[in-house]
């Protein structure tokens, strides 16, 4: 009498779901997320973070039949938050100029400058 095959790896368990359609779909969505993460890293010149969560709920009856319910969540990178810098004035208003720094005006001093070489 031959021994029935045993499922010994996670991908074998996942391949049971939806008559074999679940695992290829999951892998396709993971690849799409990988492409999104790479593009994000290039667009923002930084690293990209993602997360894959896989939950397998198992239920066994008294005869040994096991029911697997598989749920997944694939999260891609989040765009960076929009930032700005401003300063508060003495009366609580917001300004784009640092009130602690004096305003430096650029002025033309005129005249003629002579360029010389070091001797």
């Amino acid at each position: 009498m031959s021994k029935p095959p045993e499922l010994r790896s996670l991908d074998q368990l996942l391949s049971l779901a939806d008559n074999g359609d679940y695992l290829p779909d999951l892998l396709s969505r993971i690849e799409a997320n990988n492409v999104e993460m790479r593009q994000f890293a290039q667009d923002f010149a930084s690293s990209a973070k993602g997360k894959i969560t896989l939950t397998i709920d198992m239920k066994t009856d008294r005869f040994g039949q096991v029911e697997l319910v598989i749920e997944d969540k694939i999260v891609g990178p989040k765009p960076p938050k929009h930032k700005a810098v401003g300063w508060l004035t003495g009366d609580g208003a917001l300004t784009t100029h640092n009130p602690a720094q004096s305003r430096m005006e650029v002025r033309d001093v005129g005249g003629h400058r002579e360029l010389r070489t070091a001797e």
Side-chain angles (χ1 to χ4, degrees):
M1 184 158 98
S2 69
K3 187 175 176 182
E6 295 178 351
L7 304 175
R8 302 181 68 85
S9 66
L10 186 58
D11 63 327
Q12 290 173 330
L13 288 176
L14 296 176
S15 68
L16 293 175
D18 297 337
N19 295 320
D21 292 336
Y22 173 73
L23 184 57
D25 176 62
L26 175 64
L27 293 174
S28 174
R29 291 183 288 127
I30 289 172
E31 286 176 2
N33 187 59
N34 292 343
V35 170
E36 178 186 355
M37 288 177 47
R38 183 167 187 213
Q39 188 63 51
F40 179 94
Q42 290 175 349
D43 290 347
F44 294 104
S46 67
S47 60
K49 290 185 178 181
K51 186 175 188 176
I52 300 171
T53 305
L54 189 63
T55 305
I56 303 174
D57 291 321
M58 299 175 67
K59 181 170 67 171
T60 305
D61 66 12
R62 64 184 182 152
F63 303 107
Q65 180 178 338
V66 178
E67 178 183 78
L68 304 172
V69 178
I70 303 168
E71 187 176 0
D72 66 72
K73 184 176 180 183
I74 300 172
V75 179
K78 296 179 182 176
K81 296 178 181 177
H82 304 283
K83 296 181 181 180
V85 175
W87 287 267
L88 293 175
T89 63
D91 57 355
L94 187 62
T95 180
T96 58
H97 302 291
N98 184 348
Q101 182 178 4
S102 63
R103 303 279 295 159
M104 296 189 306
E105 301 293 328
V106 177
R107 60 188 178 105
D108 184 12
V109 294
H112 177 66
R113 297 190 103 183
E114 179 181 331
L115 294 176
R116 296 184 290 177
T117 60
E119 295 178 14

